Every structure is written in structure tokens, then in C-alpha cells.
Amino acid sequence: APRAPKCSDSSATGAFGAFLYVKIRFGKPDPTWLANGMLAGLVAITAPCAFVSSWAAMVIGLVAGVLVVAAAVFIDTKLRIDDPVGAVAVHGVNGAWGIVALGLFANGTYGQGLNGVAYGVTGLLYGDPGQLVAELVGIAANVLYVAPVAALAFFVIGKVLGNRPTAEDEIAEVLASHYLSAAEATADAPDAVDVRAKAAGALLRAAGRAESL
């Protein structure tokens, strides 16, 4: 089956799944969660897109839309990891879900001869538990290698250069850049640098007041 429609199916149901879950859990929809649900659907269908049917692509996306919200909230509130855009939930959690989904929903119509297997890639729901086991082994191998290597890399970078700027620099630079962009979009563009400096000073003073509360 063509891959592009299945990617569209999964991204659409991912957005819809996130929309529904956020509406039910928080009482109102949020367009940022909807966008992350769409991305999660695309990530989740990446591994299985050639091997699953359209109905399965929609199920995969729907689950991804719920997972991305639940995982992002868990990472932020329980693990206390700073991931403001939900990248771990989108790419990490739903990348793993997509791999598992291949082992569940692969229908056997494609992939004959891959890895020395004569028949097509076939998942658990179509009678082959071995594919699901292989996917789980792949996820475990990835985590066992990537996690310590990434931790070591971040540790070394943190000691040598630092992994992030100070909180003051973050507030001043990110928000002052917003004001700079606004100034550049007006007829007062020559004064943009002055606007940036004034905005940075005001924001730093506000940050100082907030810390004293």
C-alpha cells in the first residue's frame, strides 16, 4: 500500500487523539498539544508505514496522540526533566511505540526476503510473535547503548562548555529577541537594538523580583 496516505492517516489521528485526550483531561483543547499529537503520529508511523494497513496506521496515530501528552506530563512533573517542547515524548516515547506497533500490526504483504525471512514482515496480530520479540530486543539494545553514551556526552559537555546558559541569560535573550523581532517589524527598526536592551533590562528586573517572592 502507498506510504504517504498512511503517514497522513497517522498524523491526522495523532492530532485528533491528542485533542480528545487534552479536552477530557484538562477540560479544554490546546493547539500546541494538537500539533505535538500530529508530530507524534508521524514519528510513530515511521517504522511501520510500509508494513501496516491504513486502519492500523490510524490506530497507531490515535495511540501516539494520547501517549505524547501523557508522556510529556509525566516527564515534566514526575521525572522533573526540562523538556519544554516535549521532544522526548514526541520522538523518544512515540519512536518506541512505532517500533512496537510494527511488531503488532505488520500484515505480511511486504518485506519478503528481508533478513533472510522468506515471507513478508508479519506482526503478532497476524500470527507471528517473533517480529514483536525482535522489535522489543531492538528497543532494549538501543536504550542500553544510547542512554549511557548520551549521558557521558552530556556530562563531558557540561564540564567543558556547559549544557545551557544561565537562567538570567535565558530570560533576557529569548524574550528580548521576541521584542527585537517586533521592533524590526515596525517602522522603528533602527531603534531595535535599543528596544532589545531596554527589554532585557526590564525582564531581568522582573526575574529578580520573582525570585525574591
Side-chain angles (χ1 to χ4, degrees):
R3 302 181 191 183
K6 285 182 281 187
C7 292
S8 299
D9 292 340
S10 185
S11 64
T13 56
F16 186 62
F19 167 84
L20 285 181
Y21 182 68
V22 169
K23 173 70 173 173
I24 293 169
R25 179 166 179 177
F26 301 112
K28 61 180 180 179
D30 186 318
T32 59
W33 283 123
L34 188 148
N36 265 10
M38 179 184 67
L39 291 174
L42 287 171
V43 170
I45 199 61
T46 299
C49 66
F51 307 101
V52 300
S53 304
S54 291
W55 71 265
M58 290 188 281
V59 172
I60 292 167
L62 194 65
V63 173
V66 175
L67 269 181
V68 70
V69 180
V73 172
F74 177 80
I75 291 166
D76 183 48
T77 61
K78 301 300 183 182
L79 300 184
R80 309 291 294 175
I81 295 175
D82 183 17
D83 184 17
V85 298
V88 175
V90 171
H91 298 280
V93 173
N94 279 289
W97 159 237
I99 294 170
V100 172
L102 194 160
L104 292 172
F105 297 107
N107 57 25
T109 60
Y110 182 75
Q112 290 81 0
L114 292 179
N115 297 323
V117 179
Y119 53 88
V121 177
T122 306
L124 178 65
L125 297 182
Y126 290 85
D128 186 1
Q131 186 65 46
L132 178 60
V133 172
E135 303 302 333
L136 295 175
V137 170
I139 293 172
N142 186 288
V143 171
L144 290 174
Y145 174 77
V146 172
V149 171
L152 177 61
F154 284 127
F155 176 79
V156 172
I157 293 170
K159 292 296 183 182
V160 176
L161 299 174
N163 284 306
R164 63 184 301 166
T166 63
E168 291 80 5
D169 286 342
E170 286 184 343
I171 294 171
E173 184 63 27
V174 173
L175 295 181
S177 294
H178 169 74
Y179 285 103
L180 175 62
S181 297
E184 288 176 336
T186 69
D188 299 325
D191 299 326
V193 174
D194 184 55
V195 171
R196 178 187 181 129
K198 290 179 179 178
L203 290 166
L204 283 173
R205 288 193 295 273
R209 289 194 297 271
E211 289 179 355
S212 66
L213 295 177

